[in-house]
Amino acid sequence: MSKEVEGSLIRKKDLIRSWLIWENLPQTCYNYERMMGQAVAHVFVPISKRLHNDDPEKKKEMMKREIEFFNVHIEFGSCIIGMIIALEEQKAKGVAIPSEFITSLKTSLMGPLSGIGDTIFQGVLIPILLAITIDLTLKGTIWGSIIYAVAIIAIAWGMSYANFMFGYRAGADAIMDFLEKGILNKVLRGAEIMGCMVMGGLISSYVKMNVALEITSSTTTFNVQEQFLDAVMPNILPFAFTMFIFWLMKRGWSSLKVIGLIVVFGIVTGFLGILG
């Protein structure tokens, strides 16, 4: 493991150490000025010792460059870190790579990879795992929570490591080529569609609303929920209320306002006997 990679100034164990720092400590020093910048600088500590251990000025220059503002999805953005390590290594070898190029590349890749990561990881993967494991937990077993914890950690570490090493091996050219061909946009579009399908399924499964109103005549009782709403479209109320909340948020309502509205709506309709 300590053997040097052929043609490389950086050993495999240096890369693994940097990756472990990135995967486990990226949000330990958040601030509004640099976001993950200080975490990135921490990632480059073992790299700086390998590349510029005998030149303190170059080490300072690199660390100042890497501590600048940075914010990205951790698992998908790890390929940026690997790529920048490769560029810093080439720069240390004497390749004419401007410092501005490294900073600009980091900045330009943050947005696309954040969008893809948030959509696939938080919008698709996590809801699917939760939907499966919550059902197991509700059946009275603790295996649901155990499976979720093990699965999400294994997936996160696996994706992060693969992306990190891909970024280091491929370098900037491959990633920029990936962007220019529009492959990332296609992946993002597909993930958005799948995410919408998953969220639709979660709405029908976990959002519950029932109208308690009944219309009673001399001969029969008409249940509004069962004989009207469910006959028109099952779960139409949870769907309609979710779309209403979505509409409010699109109009600029904050999450606190939305939560407040839901609480007030639930209290009032429950007190009046409309919902039950």
Side-chain angles (χ1 to χ4, degrees), residues 210-214 263-276:
N210 291 295
V211 174
L213 294 176
E214 293 182 342
V263 171
V264 172
F265 178 79
I267 293 173
V268 172
T269 54
F271 178 78
L272 296 176
I274 299 173
L275 296 182

Side-chain angles (χ1 to χ4, degrees), residues 15-114:
L15 291 174
I16 292 176
R17 185 181 175 192
S18 292
W19 166 71
L20 285 171
I21 293 171
W22 170 251
E23 177 60 23
N24 295 297
L25 304 172
Q27 302 186 72
T28 53
C29 197
Y30 251 93
N31 62 70
Y32 287 111
E33 181 184 1
R34 302 184 187 276
M35 295 299 284
M36 294 177 169
Q38 288 166 290
V40 176
H42 187 189
V43 167
F44 274 84
V45 169
I47 303 301
S48 67
K49 291 179 180 178
R50 183 62 52 189
L51 297 180
H52 303 298
N53 201 41
D54 298 327
D55 194 334
E57 291 304 316
K58 285 188 177 180
K59 185 185 291 187
K60 290 178 185 176
E61 177 189 339
M62 188 183 77
M63 295 302 282
K64 286 180 180 178
R65 182 165 56 247
E66 300 304 338
I67 203 174
E68 294 177 1
F69 179 92
F70 188 71
N71 190 35
V72 75
H73 186 272
I74 298 168
E75 283 70 38
F76 280 78
S78 63
C79 69
I80 302 177
I81 306 298
M83 180 190 65
I84 298 303
I85 289 175
L87 292 177
E88 292 285 4
E89 182 182 26
Q90 294 302 314
K91 188 176 177 67
K93 286 180 177 181
V95 179
I97 300 176
S99 300
E100 295 78 12
F101 174 76
I102 295 176
T103 301
S104 298
L105 204 57
K106 286 168 60 181
T107 304
S108 64
L109 290 175
M110 283 192 305
L113 291 177
S114 292

Side-chain angles (χ1 to χ4, degrees), residues 115-160:
I116 292 171
D118 290 340
T119 302
I120 294 177
F121 205 84
Q122 298 178 23
V124 177
L125 179 62
I126 290 178
I128 290 175
L129 278 176
L130 284 174
I132 295 171
T133 54
I134 286 175
D135 281 341
L136 290 175
T137 304
L138 291 175
K139 291 177 182 177
T141 174
I142 64 170
W143 281 107
S145 56
I146 295 174
I147 291 172
Y148 176 80
V150 172
I152 200 67
I153 291 173
I155 292 170
W157 276 47
M159 292 175 66
S160 176

